[in-house]
Amino acid sequence: MGPEELTAAKWKAIVSNDSKFDGRFFYAVRTTGIFCRPSCKSKPPKRGNICIFRHAEQALSAGFRPCKRCKPTGQRLPDEDWISVVTAYIDRYYMQPLNLETLADVSHGSMYHLHRTFKKLTGITPMAYIQQKRIEHAKELLKHSTASIAEVGRLAGLSNLSYFITLFKKVTGHTPASYRQLTKQNREESTNGESS
């Protein structure tokens, strides 16, 4: 049995955290991969991102993970699983404005616990991981596109040009322009070396 219809009554139960509906259905959020009880105190997701399941097992079978806050399976989600939900979310949305509060909301945890657990398991903070993803994307764009430096920064999720240049240089040791020039020279040298 797959997802059920999101009725007006179920939507109302979700946005009002109505515990009378606990056990009658579970809701899953497509963008985060997490499922919850209707009474979950997490910020309500967008209505269009919700799937409804009658049983927790159905949500699990569909690939959703239990919420760390409301524990819809009655068990605590292991920290490793929780952080993998967060990293998957960052991997998908790093180009958008993200901060610790947003990550805590979408992963249904507290900012403090998320920051501490993420760093303990990955060795870096969530914000450092986001910056790492953005710089890697910017490097690819600089290598393979003719987009302006400002456009590369914007596409990588760093729309403030001076901050993008400063962060890029701090991480790579080069400004975006010098990195682009260097990779272009390396390509030309390898092409010339192959043709001789």
Side-chain angles (χ1 to χ4, degrees), residues 134-163:
R134 290 174 172 168
I135 295 301
E136 289 304 312
H137 185 63
K139 285 165 65 176
E140 289 303 308
L141 290 170
L142 290 166
K143 283 183 203 173
H144 305 292
S145 81
T146 57
S148 70
I149 302 301
E151 183 67 2
V152 166
R154 191 187 66 72
L155 291 170
L158 297 160
S159 55
N160 179 318
L161 180 60
S162 62
Y163 178 70

Side-chain angles (χ1 to χ4, degrees), residues 69 99-102 104-105 109-116 126:
R69 185 173 284 163
N99 57 38
L100 197 56
E101 184 178 2
T102 302
D105 280 346
S110 75
M111 290 190 295
Y112 171 77
H113 186 60
L114 172 60
H115 185 272
R116 191 174 51 118

Side-chain angles (χ1 to χ4, degrees), residues 32-56:
T32 62
I34 295 174
F35 76 98
C36 301
R37 301 172 192 264
S39 65
C40 187
K41 299 293 186 199
S42 295
K43 182 177 165 184
K46 291 181 181 171
R47 187 175 179 149
N49 292 334
I50 294 177
C51 298
I52 300 294
F53 295 96
R54 181 158 298 175
H55 304 286

Side-chain angles (χ1 to χ4, degrees), residues 13-14 17-19 21-23 25-27 35-41 67 69-75 108:
I14 292 166
N17 312 113
D18 193 339
S19 61
F21 286 84
D22 284 357
F25 74 91
F26 297 86
Y27 72 93
F35 76 98
C36 301
R37 301 172 192 264
S39 65
C40 187
K41 299 293 186 199
C67 171
R69 185 173 284 163
C70 72
K71 302 175 186 77
T73 60
Q75 299 173 334
H108 300 189

